[in-house]
Amino acid sequence: MRYRSTRSEAPTVLADAALRAGVAPDGGLYMPEQLPRFSVADFSETPDLPGLAAKLLAPFFADTPVQTAMADICADAFNFPCPRVRPDAREDAPDILELFHGPTGAFKDFGARFLFRAFGALGQTSDRPATVLVATSGDTGGAVGCAAEGVAGTRAVILFPAGRISAFQEHQLCCWQAPVEAARIEGDFDACQALVKTAFADPELSRAHNLTSANSISIGRFLPQMTYWARAALDVYAETGEPPGLIIPTGNLGNAFAAVLARTCGLPIGPIVLATNANTTLADWFRSGRYEGRPSIATLANAMDVGAPSNFERLAALEDSQIESVVSVDDKHIKTRMKTVFDETGYIACPHTATALEAFERLDPDPRQSRRWIVGATAHPGKFADIVEAVIGQPVDLPATLRAVLERPVRCHDIAPDKAALANLLGGKAHDRVD
Ligand SMILES: *Cc1c(COP(=O)(O)O)cnc(C)c1O
């Protein structure tokens, strides 16, 4: 399997090169040149998620060491449950696919855990370990730090904006041991991202530290996200004889693009509906056919505060966008949906999951009743306890995995938002600050 750039000018590469590079040299995103085709029967002997994942993902990593190690990578990366629950007893109620039972309580664990194990399989190509540099405003950094801890040959450096993330999120970024370093930047998330871009664009810095990326455009992050949609779709198809519809809470389109790809590969997936918060870039594009990226606005579903979805270029590269509809949900409706679902069923949804539950309620009755729908639940509500508790009027328990995170000591660096400070940090010259 070879990968081409969405901008088509760069030479095609195998998955290992695409993994290491992150972005294609022409600035485009890597796309598989031709997709493997599967039928439902191909998965009859892989009833669990890791087995299905190894089968589905192997062709995407053909002719690389990742393919050889695929069964072990998947067994090790996807070692937590991914249950489908039905808290609402109504016959046409959706299944909720809980993607948040990994160690950091959000679906980002699937991609991050796979990515670092894939890096591990690729091994070290020079005398220096690869440095995965990420800017984060929340869940990605925690998942990356957790996935990188203890992985030889790769270190992770996580940049986050001082004072702009929740106390829980900050703890979750700063609690990982070597080879993970977290740095609090005096600036906002855009400043963090700009700093990462500056570092990648600097050939000297980039080469000296073997910089690579773990953001949602990495093929090592979005391809593994196909697996739980595939698993759930096959299971529902076996139960109902009909490919289920998916409702996916969306920000950078990584999770949703993975679902589109799984369907294109032949998995029994019906219509795909995107749910966004009040950032309406995708809803406007769907309505008008014109794409206009813009600055993001802050919402209660903050992991989806994206004004220019980075994977849009991939969706646009497909012949047909294959999206059924895009539903934008503002904060007021996020809150009322969280409250209504809790009052009617006792189920506690995080704000991101609530956008998708609201999008489900807005489907027309015909398509809604014609098949089973699966709503993606992307984070544990305990990660957003301050918002959720105020809405439902009850405390939210943290699961044991997230409580364990809070018991870890934290360690981080404070750096100015400039290249010299980042170069010092990368060179190991910044001092630890222990809170
Ligand atoms: C990252 C994230 C999203 C958005 O996922 P994309 O792949 O960027 O569309 C939704 N919900 C939660 C909780 C997230 O962490």
Side-chain angles (χ1 to χ4, degrees), residues 382-401:
K383 284 192 97 167
F384 301 90
D386 41 350
I387 297 169
V388 176
E389 289 175 353
V391 170
I392 67 170
Q394 282 211 12
V396 183
D397 284 340
L398 278 182
T401 42

Side-chain angles (χ1 to χ4, degrees), residues 136-158:
T136 183
S137 56
D139 293 329
T140 293
V144 163
C146 178
E149 195 181 62
V151 174
T154 312
R155 78 176 168 156
V157 174
I158 302 165

Side-chain angles (χ1 to χ4, degrees), residues 94-111:
D95 286 1
I96 298 179
L97 184 63
E98 294 189 340
L99 304 171
F100 54 70
H101 294 280
T104 69
F107 82 94
K108 303 288 199 301
D109 282 324
F110 286 94

Side-chain angles (χ1 to χ4, degrees), residues 106-108 139 225 249-255 303-304 352 378-379 384:
F107 82 94
K108 303 288 199 301
D139 293 329
Q225 293 170 175
T250 301
N252 269 321
L253 272 173
N255 204 4
M304 314 195 313
H352 313 82
T378 47
F384 301 90

Side-chain angles (χ1 to χ4, degrees), residues 21-392:
V23 185
D26 61 5
L29 310 189
Y30 281 118
M31 287 276 277
E33 256 196 327
Q34 81 284 24
L35 290 175
R37 291 291 303 181
F38 290 99
S39 69
V40 170
D42 289 330
F43 299 102
S44 58
E45 271 152 36
T46 51
D48 58 359
L49 181 71
L52 173 149
K55 178 138 200 175
L56 178 60
L57 295 175
F60 289 90
F61 294 89
D63 306 320
T64 74
V66 179
Q67 184 192 34
T68 321
M70 189 58 86
D72 288 341
I73 292 176
C74 291
D76 198 31
F78 310 136
N79 66 349
F80 50 90
C82 180
R84 213 159 24 92
V85 300
R86 289 183 62 77
D88 185 338
R90 284 178 302 167
E91 187 156 359
D92 67 345
D95 286 1
I96 298 179
L97 184 63
E98 294 189 340
L99 304 171
F100 54 70
H101 294 280
T104 69
F107 82 94
K108 303 288 199 301
D109 282 324
F110 286 94
R113 288 171 69 77
F114 182 91
L115 177 69
F116 277 88
R117 282 159 182 78
F119 280 141
L122 292 185
Q124 208 165 308
T125 48
S126 72
D127 51 351
R128 276 173 184 274
T131 296
V132 176
L133 180 64
V134 276
T136 183
S137 56
D139 293 329
T140 293
V144 163
C146 178
E149 195 181 62
V151 174
T154 312
R155 78 176 168 156
V157 174
I158 302 165
L159 310 184
F160 67 94
R164 317 237 174 176
I165 65 176
S166 75
F168 181 86
Q169 284 176 319
E170 179 154 343
H171 194 103
Q172 202 178 33
L173 295 177
C174 301
C175 70
W176 311 107
Q177 302 300 312
V180 184
E181 301 297 335
R184 192 156 39 198
I185 306 293
E186 294 156 32
D188 59 9
F189 174 62
D190 292 336
C192 297
Q193 257 191 326
L195 198 51
V196 168
K197 284 201 182 130
T198 312
F200 280 117
D202 181 324
E204 211 175 302
L205 206 55
S206 184
R207 210 170 321 112
H209 300 289
N210 250 334
L211 291 185
T212 187
S213 143
N215 66 18
S216 72
I217 58 176
S218 164
I219 64 160
R221 268 193 56 198
F222 84 84
L223 291 173
Q225 293 170 175
M226 289 195 292
T227 61
Y228 44 78
W229 297 123
R231 179 76 272 152
L234 286 164
D235 292 346
V236 169
Y237 184 70
E239 286 164 26
T240 67
E242 190 73 47
L246 306 183
I247 305 193
I248 306 179
T250 301
N252 269 321
L253 272 173
N255 204 4
F257 186 73
V260 168
L261 215 55
R263 187 173 59 186
T264 312
C265 293
L267 273 300
I269 293 172
I272 296 174
V273 171
L274 307 184
T276 72
N277 57 27
N279 287 280
T280 57
T281 306
L282 289 171
D284 295 345
W285 157 74
F286 193 79
R287 198 171 335 99
S288 71
R290 275 196 316 276
Y291 174 83
E292 270 174 67
R294 62 198 80 159
S296 65
I297 58 172
T299 75
L300 293 176
N302 66 12
M304 314 195 313
D305 289 348
V306 176
S310 44
N311 282 297
F312 183 79
E313 203 165 319
R314 285 199 166 105
L315 201 61
L318 297 176
E319 248 155 55
D320 155 13
S321 87
Q322 310 195 26
I323 297 299
E324 181 74 5
S325 63
V326 183
V327 180
S328 160
V329 180
D330 62 17
D331 278 355
K332 177 169 153 250
H333 289 94
I334 290 178
K335 283 193 200 165
T336 48
R337 183 51 50 200
M338 270 170 25
K339 177 93 173 98
T340 307
V341 168
F342 178 70
D343 288 347
E344 288 177 354
T345 70
Y347 191 77
I348 306 178
C350 87
H352 313 82
T353 307
T355 65
L357 289 165
E358 174 67 15
F360 172 79
E361 294 299 329
R362 293 187 196 174
L363 291 178
D364 288 336
D366 267 359
R368 192 164 85 189
Q369 284 157 8
S370 68
R371 64 179 73 241
R372 187 84 67 78
W373 288 82
I374 301 173
V375 164
T378 47
H380 190 283
K383 284 192 97 167
F384 301 90
D386 41 350
I387 297 169
V388 176
E389 289 175 353
V391 170
I392 67 170

